[in-house]
Amino acid sequence: MKSLAELAAIKDRMKQNATMREDGDNATRIVVGMATCGIAAGARGIINAVTTELAKRDLEHVTVAQTGCIGMCRLEPIMDVIVPGQEKVTYVHLTPEKVAKIISDHVVNGNVVAEYTIGAYENE
């Protein structure tokens, strides 16, 4: 990213691609860390992968949001998946390929991908 115009274009593209629904407590939320550390680690590719996977699967009860610094820069890119009635799951060291598996396994089928979670890295 080299200019504010490029940032604005990315923002507009993300708004168009993101599945943003106001389903209140019934919506699964995906939150991607987009602070400078996250962006430097590849968070733009992660949020693009999330919106692409959601669009491919036509998932309607999922919202996508960005957040600033999460405070764990060494684990970026980071993404939280928050399913109503369940504990928040934090995924770390993400790649677009990992995102596809997370959407398929966790968001669609309800199975946390444990090897990509922060817990897997805390136990090393």
Side-chain angles (χ1 to χ4, degrees):
M1 180 170 36
K2 305 227 187 287
S3 69
L4 288 175
E6 186 179 349
L7 178 61
I10 291 168
K11 179 181 175 185
D12 290 341
R13 189 174 69 245
M14 294 311 301
K15 280 184 177 182
Q16 291 172 354
N17 291 338
T19 305
M20 300 296 285
R21 304 283 195 282
E22 294 297 327
D23 291 330
D25 293 335
N26 296 325
T28 294
R29 292 182 58 224
I30 296 176
V31 182
V32 179
M34 292 289 288
T36 54
C37 53
I39 291 169
R44 275 195 299 260
I46 299 308
I47 203 161
N48 286 336
V50 168
T51 57
T52 298
E53 284 297 315
L54 295 177
K56 253 194 327 192
R57 297 170 181 279
D58 196 28
L59 297 177
E60 295 183 4
H61 298 291
V62 179
T63 61
V64 179
Q66 301 175 34
T67 192
C69 185
I70 298 171
M72 299 181 288
C73 301
R74 66 185 177 85
L75 301 176
E76 293 284 358
I78 297 174
M79 177 177 83
D80 290 330
V81 175
I82 306 159
V83 177
Q86 298 178 15
E87 191 172 325
K88 172 182 76 173
V89 177
T90 300
Y91 291 101
V92 297
H93 292 297
L94 292 175
T95 64
E97 296 77 23
K98 288 179 179 179
V99 168
K101 182 167 176 61
I102 292 165
I103 299 296
S104 172
D105 291 6
H106 188 171
V107 176
V108 173
N109 294 313
N111 301 312
V112 173
V113 185
E115 64 267 26
Y116 300 161
T117 66
I118 192 168
Y121 289 92
E122 289 175 342
N123 294 325
E124 288 184 344

